[in-house]
């Protein structure tokens, strides 16, 4: 089939690579416009744009797919189907109607669970033991379209959202190719999502990434892993922001919420239940470092409490 691929971040690259190596013909790519990044705030192309241009593919970077010129260009490309992976923009009905085989989205959850922008982060934070990926036909509703294929993946006890998303991106690329192969062969039927089991996964806010040390240790562990690498879990220490990397639940219950105990090689912080051990921290305006090295530098006292 003739395909126009829509995607933007690095997580979409395994799918683009898989499609470029498949029997299908990727004739163009749609991605989000270049964004400013880094201290110099220079314009940087999306990972998908960089890879597509390296492959010699035409690249469309519309601010909106409602743009009449963009829609006309899409019609000229005459795709049979438009696969989508983390594009990051709305696909309006006028664009949905262009490919006769529709827009096939690869979403990183087992729908109808975790509809929205942050399904992997929310699954880790909720303590899900199983998640996965789903291919479905885009429609106007948010991740509500009929399902074409599914796969599952275990959530490991130490998984960060980044770890899990990397695995799903690779495994999901195979699911996407299989789905498109079946569409081309008329060997698949879209099935409406069931009405029960719906949950939503809005993008995480910075405030949601702020640690409450009055929560149980296991909940803090999930929160930190779910917020890693983005937006990054954090707390305050002596009035300044302190980024917190993945933690380990400790066996010591004798520290109050936020109380800090620092040894030569470890730093533990009290919670509502057992303490958690910090491995890496990121002081405000500095790079990530080992928690023990940071603790030696700031000279923690008995009066210090995280979150203040």
């Amino acid at each position: 089939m003739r395909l126009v691929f829509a995607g933007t971040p690095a997580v979409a690259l395994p799918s683009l690579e898989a499609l470029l190596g498949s029997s299908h013909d990727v004739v163009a790519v749609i991605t989000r416009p270049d964004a400013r990044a880094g201290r110099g705030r220079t314009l940087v192309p999306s990972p998908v744009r960089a890879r597509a241009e390296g492959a010699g593919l035409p690249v469309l970077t519309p601010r909106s797919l409602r743009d009449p010129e963009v829609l006309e260009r899409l019609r000229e490309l005459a795709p049979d189907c438009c696969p989508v992976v983390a594009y990051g923009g709305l696909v309006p009905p006028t664009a949905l109607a262009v490919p006769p085989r529709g827009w096939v989205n690869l979403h990183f959850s087992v729908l109808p669970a975790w509809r929205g922008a942050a399904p992997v982060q929310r699954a880790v934070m909720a303590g899900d033991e199983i998640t996965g990926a789903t291919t479905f036909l885009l429609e106007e509703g948010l991740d509500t379209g009929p399902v074409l294929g599914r796969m599952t993946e275990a959530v490991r006890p130490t998984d960060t959202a980044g770890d899990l998303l990397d695995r799903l991106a690779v495994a999901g690329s195979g699911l996407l190719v299989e789905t498109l192969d079946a569409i081309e062969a008329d060997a698949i039927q879209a099935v409406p999502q069931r009405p029960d089991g719906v949950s939503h996964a809005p993008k995480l806010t910075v405030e949601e990434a702020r640690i409450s040390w009055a929560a149980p240790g296991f909940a803090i562990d999930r929160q930190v892993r779910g917020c890693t690498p983005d937006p990054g879990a954090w707390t305050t220490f002596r009035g300044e922001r302190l980024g917190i990397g993945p933690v380990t639940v400790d066996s010591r219950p004798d520290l109050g919420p936020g109380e800090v105990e620092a040894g030569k090689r470890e730093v533990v912080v009290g919670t509502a239940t057992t303490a958690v051990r910090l491995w890496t921290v990121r002081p405000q305006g500095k790079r990530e470092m080992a928690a023990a090295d940071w603790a030696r530098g700031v000279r923690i006292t008995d009066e210090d409490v995280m979150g203040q």
Side-chain angles (χ1 to χ4, degrees):
M1 290 191 295
R2 285 175 61 86
L3 305 177
V4 171
F5 178 82
T8 299
V11 72
L13 291 178
S15 289
L16 178 56
E17 293 288 356
L19 292 172
L20 290 173
S22 74
S23 62
H24 303 285
D25 183 16
V26 181
V27 297
V29 161
I30 302 172
T31 190
R32 299 294 293 163
D34 296 357
R36 296 194 181 277
R39 292 187 177 180
R41 305 304 294 166
T42 55
L43 285 173
V44 177
S46 74
V48 165
R49 176 175 183 172
R51 178 64 185 96
E53 289 180 340
L57 294 172
V59 178
L60 286 66
T61 59
R63 295 196 175 280
S64 172
L65 286 173
R66 297 184 186 277
D67 186 329
E69 292 184 7
V70 174
L71 286 170
E72 183 56 34
R73 177 62 177 139
L74 186 59
R75 294 187 187 101
E76 290 173 356
L77 290 165
D80 298 305
C81 185
C82 292
V84 187
V85 184
Y87 169 53
L90 177 68
V91 182
T94 48
L96 289 174
V98 173
R101 301 283 190 137
W103 294 66
V104 175
N105 191 34
L106 173 64
H107 182 76
F108 297 115
S109 79
V110 181
L111 291 172
W114 303 124
R115 293 173 176 170
V120 176
Q121 294 93 325
R122 298 290 179 181
V124 172
M125 291 175 71
D128 290 359
E129 296 182 352
I130 298 292
T131 186
T134 305
T135 50
F136 69 97
L137 289 172
L138 276 188
E139 57 182 28
E140 288 189 69
L142 178 63
D143 300 332
T144 58
V147 169
L148 295 162
R150 287 192 180 97
M151 56 153 287
T152 58
E153 175 75 21
V155 182
R156 300 169 187 171
T158 59
D159 269 340
T160 65
D163 296 333
L164 183 54
L165 187 55
D166 286 346
R167 293 206 308 276
L168 289 173
V170 173
S173 67
L175 174 64
L176 180 61
V177 173
E178 291 172 4
T179 298
L180 295 173
D181 289 346
I183 289 173
E184 185 177 38
D186 292 323
I188 196 169
Q189 184 174 358
V191 178
Q193 294 184 36
R194 64 181 189 271
D196 60 309
V198 175
S199 52
H200 297 280
K203 183 177 179 179
L204 290 176
T205 66
V206 172
E207 191 56 33
E208 284 181 287
R210 182 173 187 170
I211 298 170
S212 169
W213 298 104
F218 74 87
I220 291 173
D221 168 46
R222 293 174 183 175
Q223 178 188 17
V224 175
R225 288 189 292 112
C227 292
T228 302
D230 184 59
W234 63 282
T235 186
T236 53
F237 181 79
R238 296 179 184 170
E240 292 191 345
R241 181 163 165 162
L242 182 69
I244 302 293
V247 302
T248 301
V249 177
D250 197 89
S251 60
R252 280 166 282 190
D254 54 344
L255 290 176
E259 292 181 353
V260 188
E261 182 179 290
K264 290 184 178 180
R265 298 182 180 179
E266 65 177 13
V267 178
V268 293
V269 184
T271 75
T273 54
T274 54
V276 296
R277 179 174 176 177
L278 308 187
W279 293 97
T280 60
V281 298
R282 185 171 184 173
Q284 188 169 331
K286 297 181 180 180
R287 295 185 177 182
E288 185 177 79
M289 64 177 66
D293 293 341
W294 164 80
R296 281 192 293 271
V298 298
R299 298 184 179 181
I300 290 174
T301 70
D302 291 340
E303 287 73 36
D304 285 318
V305 177
M306 289 284 187
Q308 296 182 359

